Amino acid sequence: MAVLTQNNRSFSTMAAARAGREHLVQQALQLFKLHGYHNTTMADVGKAAGLLKGSVYYYFDGKEQLAVEAMRHVRASSSKQIFSLAYDESRSPRERLANLTQAVEDYFIDSEGGCLMGNLALETINTLPQFAQLIRAYFDEWRQALVHLLRSQYEQDRAGQLAQDAVARIEGAIMIMRIDGDPAVLRRANRDIATWLR
Amino acid sequence: MAVLTQNNRSFSTMAAARAGREHLVQQALQLFKLHGYHNTTMADVGKAAGLLKGSVYYYFDGKEQLAVEAMRHVRASSSKQIFSLAYDESRSPRERLANLTQAVEDYFIDSEGGCLMGNLALETINTLPQFAQLIRAYFDEWRQALVHLLRSQYEQDRAGQLAQDAVARIEGAIMIMRIDGDPAVLRRANRDIATWLR
Amino acid sequence: MAVLTQNNRSFSTMAAARAGREHLVQQALQLFKLHGYHNTTMADVGKAAGLLKGSVYYYFDGKEQLAVEAMRHVRASSSKQIFSLAYDESRSPRERLANLTQAVEDYFIDSEGGCLMGNLALETINTLPQFAQLIRAYFDEWRQALVHLLRSQYEQDRAGQLAQDAVARIEGAIMIMRIDGDPAVLRRANRDIATWLR
Amino acid sequence: MAVLTQNNRSFSTMAAARAGREHLVQQALQLFKLHGYHNTTMADVGKAAGLLKGSVYYYFDGKEQLAVEAMRHVRASSSKQIFSLAYDESRSPRERLANLTQAVEDYFIDSEGGCLMGNLALETINTLPQFAQLIRAYFDEWRQALVHLLRSQYEQDRAGQLAQDAVARIEGAIMIMRIDGDPAVLRRANRDIATWLR
DNA sequence: GATGAATGAGACTTCATTCAT
DNA sequence: GATGAATGAAGTCTCATTCAT
């Protein structure tokens, strides 16, 4: 009945497995974001996904891999939902920048725990260099999306600086927002950035 | 030889004791900043100070207290070296702002590990609420120093917003600086902020 | 082969699990009784059960819980093997009292380490009040069993006093027996008590 | 001025030292009785005597010696205040027994923590055999005092049994008194024993 | 006499990981 | 797929003890 693949697992099984895996990644993502990498246990992740600690190892080699996949997940969804808006050639750069900043705002204002990438960056950059490249790639992609837009009005170097500044401002705003519990800083940052294109 | 004080401890002993405690706080500060709170062990702190792990407990009740004292240390030294510059009434607000941003830049550019307060904020704000008030107090003091200056030119509300934005920009810049290893973002942020007073 | 239950655990697995837990409780009981609460380590308990110290925490939240379960075990087995004899309505109160005292004697004479409840009482009553209620409940149940019998011949108050005295005598006798290594005191105490009903 | 002894310490110094030592023994006695041997720290003892932990080692070789001296102190004061009453040849045995039981009652009813010897017996008899002989000697002396009185009316063996039973009853009563917080059991035990001589 | 400082063993506990079932 | 069981390393913390001053 079920079509078997070369791995001797049926499609439906694979789908379930993929769902289980994906679910775990999402729970891990939330937990790492909220409680940090070192303060999140495999048991926490399993429990959040309705599994026991040992079961997590069916899907993942270990905690590091789980974090890596959580970061990949964040990057993929950010690419798709946010950064891609920079390349929507049907709209003006200014419009696209407005959309992008709005998307950033929506994404982070409701994100309990702030920005996974920023959090993990500060927590692990000196001790888990394996994570650094993923973190850098994420911020690079974000920056490049902004550069792509800012180039319509600024020369390359300046566009690069502004993009970098924009990312920094937003990450800083997210930090302050978490500390103060007030999203106004983040809103102002995005509003400002949106004005950088006339 | 040793001059005895009313506490029956010689100056040299007191100095040594204070030095031992103070030394530990400084080592802990560095380690928490570089490796994070959960990824720094009491043994690490002891070793960095030339002691065994058990000896750290002679000076501190536990790891939390050590972190609290590290945060207090950061606050005290920032107050004295940085925030106080905002209240040097012998200079113009603009000059003072320039001094303050320069001090911030000097302080953080050479600070391996970035900003202890920011790092601990992101790592612990959802799990160690005891730390939150110290973190908030630190950023408040920073903000107030900036407000004090910006009030010379802006109305209260706007000054408050700008101060908040300045802090956020700098913290964000520190994060990006750590990730990219390039202090330019932090320099630009400070330069920008310095222009907010004419 | 293994019959699965609704909990998706085979009988043999369940039995093993229960056995593991139960085994630990019994080892802990012996060790607490012999060496005291504070002088028994989790490593001791684990080793006695053929496990490593960390494994004990798979079954129990901590040392206190282990002690609580050991006390519950003692209470349950005493209820079943000893105190219940007081309520065997097929025999005369006098016969039942004889049976009960005999059971007490058998139980404690071969019990290396004496009476867990009495030992823990003296060791922890001023420092671990969590244990006190379990200890009191144990002695209450014992006393009530005796009251139930003594009421056949004594009025309520006197029965209560005698029951209390009986328990005290036996606990005192167990103490002296441990110190002197001679079970005669305990035998005499039980013999005396058995004569309280004609 | 101060007369020096061969130890190069003046009499007044020796007196102070002896006072310091004695004070420590008394504090240790209280703490061991209340909290048990393993649950009393050298720091606790020092603090109770107004000293720091390290200073206790000026007077004692270690914790065991402190316990030994506490036990010796209990024995000495019991000998003098209680057991000696059995040998007051100016009174009848019956009177002496009454006095002795009354002294026992007074001694233990106000003694927070019960009986040091009984407590230490149950806590350490299987793990610190060094203590056992002191504990046995204490109970032996008590028993012998009783035997001395009971011999006026009972033959040697019976007197020995009764003495043993009396000690056991009182120790059991002290235990129950601590658990229940009601001194009535101890009072009844002593009253009963006092009737053993006509 | 007394203290501050340090030690090191060992306690309780957590946790990532493994593995048979 | 998932679990229960077990591990062992490591982490926080305690404490008896030592010793220079």
Side-chain angles (χ1 to χ4, degrees):
Chain A
M1 168 171 324
V3 180
L4 293 186
T5 69
Q6 60 205 13
N7 296 323
N8 199 29
R9 286 159 62 191
S10 71
F11 279 135
S12 58
T13 304
M14 287 177 66
R18 218 181 299 122
R21 210 182 136 86
E22 186 59 24
H23 193 210
L24 275 165
V25 169
Q26 276 166 25
Q27 301 308 316
L29 160 44
Q30 290 303 319
L31 290 167
F32 287 145
K33 201 170 51 167
L34 280 164
H35 304 148
Y37 179 73
H38 289 101
N39 203 31
T40 297
T41 73
M42 294 301 268
D44 290 340
V45 176
K47 193 184 209 175
L51 294 177
L52 287 189
K53 166 163 77 158
S55 308
V56 179
Y57 287 84
Y58 177 78
Y59 297 99
F60 300 95
D61 287 342
K63 196 179 176 182
E64 279 194 15
Q65 197 196 346
L66 204 41
V68 164
E69 306 250 353
M71 286 189 275
R72 287 204 180 114
H73 181 97
V74 165
R75 173 150 185 215
S77 71
S78 298
S79 282
K80 199 161 139 194
Q81 295 169 42
I82 305 180
F83 306 151
S84 67
L85 296 171
Y87 307 97
D88 173 6
E89 309 289 338
S90 72
R91 296 174 192 280
S92 73
R94 183 187 160 83
E95 260 183 309
R96 288 183 244 162
L97 182 59
N99 289 344
L100 195 151
T101 54
Q102 185 61 49
V104 163
E105 189 176 313
D106 295 346
Y107 187 81
F108 285 118
I109 276 189
D110 292 330
S111 162
E112 267 191 308
C115 172
L116 177 73
M117 293 308 207
N119 296 354
L120 289 186
L122 292 199
E123 187 185 348
T124 69
I125 202 134
N126 281 286
T127 47
L128 294 170
Q130 318 87 295
F131 292 177
Q133 85 185 77
L134 284 163
I135 293 168
R136 278 190 205 103
Y138 174 79
F139 287 114
D140 270 348
E141 189 179 342
W142 188 352
R143 193 160 38 209
Q144 277 163 27
L146 288 166
V147 166
H148 180 70
L149 295 176
L150 295 165
R151 281 289 284 145
S152 65
Q153 187 172 326
Y154 301 90
E155 56 165 336
Q156 178 70 32
D157 281 5
R158 184 63 184 142
Q161 290 177 356
L162 287 172
Q164 191 79 302
D165 292 351
V167 172
R169 275 192 77 168
I170 289 163
E171 286 294 326
I174 293 167
M175 179 193 287
I176 297 299
M177 177 179 77
R178 285 186 76 196
I179 293 169
D180 286 354
D182 176 8
V185 216
L186 180 56
R187 291 213 173 87
R188 278 201 305 278
N190 278 302
R191 211 132 310 160
D192 267 11
I193 293 162
T195 69
W196 290 356
L197 286 185
R198 82 180 95 78
Chain B
M1 163 146 324
V3 180
L4 292 185
T5 70
Q6 60 205 11
N7 297 322
N8 201 29
R9 287 162 60 193
S10 71
F11 278 134
S12 56
T13 303
M14 287 179 65
R18 218 183 299 123
R21 213 185 131 87
E22 186 59 24
H23 192 211
L24 276 165
V25 170
Q26 275 166 25
Q27 301 307 316
L29 161 43
Q30 290 304 320
L31 290 167
F32 288 145
K33 202 170 51 167
L34 279 164
H35 303 149
Y37 179 74
H38 289 102
N39 202 34
T40 296
T41 73
M42 292 302 266
D44 292 340
V45 175
K47 192 191 237 173
L51 294 177
L52 289 188
K53 110 181 116 165
S55 307
V56 181
Y57 287 88
Y58 176 74
Y59 295 98
F60 301 94
D61 286 342
K63 196 179 176 182
E64 279 196 19
Q65 198 196 340
L66 204 41
V68 164
E69 305 244 358
M71 286 189 275
R72 288 206 178 111
H73 182 97
V74 164
R75 171 142 187 224
S77 70
S78 298
S79 281
K80 202 162 135 192
Q81 297 169 40
I82 305 180
F83 306 151
S84 67
L85 296 170
Y87 305 96
D88 172 7
E89 307 292 335
S90 73
R91 296 173 191 281
S92 72
R94 182 185 161 84
E95 263 183 305
R96 289 183 245 163
L97 182 59
N99 289 343
L100 195 152
T101 54
Q102 185 61 48
V104 164
E105 189 176 312
D106 294 345
Y107 186 83
F108 285 118
I109 276 191
D110 292 330
S111 161
E112 267 191 308
C115 172
L116 177 73
M117 293 307 206
N119 296 355
L120 289 187
L122 293 199
E123 186 184 349
T124 69
I125 202 137
N126 281 286
T127 46
L128 294 171
Q130 316 90 291
F131 292 177
Q133 89 185 74
L134 285 164
I135 293 168
R136 274 187 208 107
Y138 175 79
F139 287 114
D140 270 347
E141 191 179 341
W142 188 350
R143 192 159 39 208
Q144 277 164 25
L146 289 167
V147 166
H148 179 70
L149 295 176
L150 295 165
R151 279 292 281 148
S152 65
Q153 187 173 323
Y154 301 90
E155 57 165 335
Q156 178 72 32
D157 282 6
R158 184 61 185 143
Q161 290 177 356
L162 286 172
Q164 189 81 303
D165 291 351
V167 172
R169 276 192 76 167
I170 289 163
E171 287 294 325
I174 292 167
M175 179 192 288
I176 298 300
M177 178 180 76
R178 285 186 75 197
I179 294 169
D180 287 355
D182 175 9
V185 215
L186 179 55
R187 291 215 173 86
R188 279 201 305 279
N190 278 303
R191 212 133 307 163
D192 266 12
I193 293 162
T195 69
W196 291 356
L197 287 183
R198 82 179 93 78
Chain C
M1 164 145 327
V3 180
L4 293 185
T5 70
Q6 60 205 12
N7 297 322
N8 200 30
R9 287 163 62 193
S10 71
F11 278 134
S12 56
T13 304
M14 287 178 66
R18 220 183 296 123
R21 211 185 134 88
E22 185 60 24
H23 192 210
L24 276 165
V25 170
Q26 276 165 24
Q27 301 307 316
L29 162 43
Q30 289 305 320
L31 290 167
F32 287 146
K33 203 170 50 168
L34 279 164
H35 303 150
Y37 179 73
H38 289 103
N39 202 32
T40 297
T41 73
M42 293 302 267
D44 291 340
V45 176
K47 191 191 239 175
L51 294 176
L52 288 189
K53 119 182 107 162
S55 308
V56 180
Y57 287 87
Y58 176 74
Y59 296 98
F60 301 94
D61 287 342
K63 196 180 177 181
E64 279 197 21
Q65 198 196 341
L66 203 42
V68 164
E69 305 245 357
M71 286 189 274
R72 288 205 178 113
H73 182 97
V74 165
R75 173 146 186 219
S77 72
S78 299
S79 282
K80 201 161 139 193
Q81 296 169 43
I82 305 180
F83 306 150
S84 66
L85 296 171
Y87 306 96
D88 172 7
E89 309 290 336
S90 73
R91 296 174 191 279
S92 74
R94 182 186 162 83
E95 261 183 306
R96 289 184 244 163
L97 181 59
N99 289 343
L100 195 152
T101 53
Q102 184 62 48
V104 163
E105 189 177 312
D106 294 345
Y107 186 81
F108 286 117
I109 276 189
D110 292 331
S111 162
E112 267 191 308
C115 172
L116 176 74
M117 294 307 207
N119 297 353
L120 289 186
L122 293 199
E123 187 185 348
T124 69
I125 202 137
N126 281 286
T127 46
L128 294 171
Q130 316 90 293
F131 293 177
Q133 88 184 74
L134 285 163
I135 293 168
R136 277 189 206 105
Y138 175 78
F139 288 114
D140 269 348
E141 190 179 341
W142 188 351
R143 193 160 38 208
Q144 277 165 26
L146 289 166
V147 166
H148 180 71
L149 295 176
L150 295 164
R151 281 290 282 144
S152 65
Q153 186 173 326
Y154 302 90
E155 56 165 336
Q156 179 71 32
D157 282 4
R158 184 62 186 142
Q161 289 177 357
L162 287 172
Q164 191 79 302
D165 291 351
V167 171
R169 277 193 75 168
I170 289 163
E171 287 294 325
I174 293 168
M175 179 193 288
I176 297 299
M177 177 179 77
R178 284 186 76 198
I179 293 169
D180 286 355
D182 175 9
V185 216
L186 179 56
R187 291 215 173 85
R188 278 201 305 279
N190 278 302
R191 211 131 311 160
D192 266 12
I193 293 162
T195 68
W196 291 355
L197 287 185
R198 84 180 95 77
Chain D
M1 168 169 329
V3 180
L4 294 185
T5 69
Q6 60 207 12
N7 296 322
N8 201 29
R9 287 161 59 192
S10 70
F11 279 133
S12 58
T13 304
M14 287 178 68
R18 217 181 299 120
R21 210 182 135 86
E22 186 58 23
H23 193 211
L24 276 165
V25 170
Q26 276 167 25
Q27 301 307 316
L29 160 43
Q30 289 304 320
L31 290 167
F32 288 145
K33 200 170 53 167
L34 279 164
H35 304 149
Y37 178 74
H38 288 103
N39 202 32
T40 296
T41 72
M42 294 301 268
D44 290 340
V45 176
K47 192 186 210 174
L51 294 178
L52 287 189
K53 167 164 75 159
S55 308
V56 180
Y57 287 85
Y58 177 78
Y59 297 99
F60 301 94
D61 287 343
K63 195 178 176 182
E64 280 195 14
Q65 198 196 345
L66 205 41
V68 164
E69 305 249 354
M71 285 189 276
R72 286 203 179 116
H73 181 97
V74 165
R75 174 148 184 217
S77 72
S78 297
S79 283
K80 200 161 135 191
Q81 296 169 41
I82 306 180
F83 306 151
S84 67
L85 296 171
Y87 306 96
D88 171 7
E89 308 291 336
S90 73
R91 297 175 190 279
S92 73
R94 181 184 162 86
E95 262 183 305
R96 288 183 245 162
L97 182 60
N99 289 344
L100 195 152
T101 54
Q102 186 61 49
V104 163
E105 189 176 313
D106 295 345
Y107 186 83
F108 285 118
I109 275 190
D110 292 330
S111 161
E112 268 191 307
C115 172
L116 176 73
M117 293 307 206
N119 296 353
L120 289 187
L122 293 200
E123 186 184 348
T124 68
I125 201 133
N126 282 284
T127 46
L128 294 170
Q130 318 89 293
F131 293 176
Q133 87 185 76
L134 284 164
I135 293 167
R136 275 188 208 107
Y138 175 80
F139 286 114
D140 269 348
E141 190 179 341
W142 188 351
R143 191 160 40 208
Q144 277 163 27
L146 288 166
V147 166
H148 180 71
L149 295 175
L150 295 165
R151 279 293 280 146
S152 66
Q153 187 173 325
Y154 301 91
E155 57 166 335
Q156 178 71 32
D157 281 5
R158 184 60 186 144
Q161 291 177 357
L162 286 172
Q164 190 80 304
D165 291 352
V167 171
R169 276 192 76 167
I170 288 163
E171 287 294 325
I174 292 168
M175 179 193 288
I176 297 299
M177 178 180 75
R178 285 186 76 197
I179 294 168
D180 286 356
D182 176 8
V185 215
L186 179 56
R187 291 214 173 86
R188 278 201 305 278
N190 278 301
R191 213 132 307 162
D192 266 13
I193 293 162
T195 69
W196 291 355
L197 287 184
R198 83 179 95 81

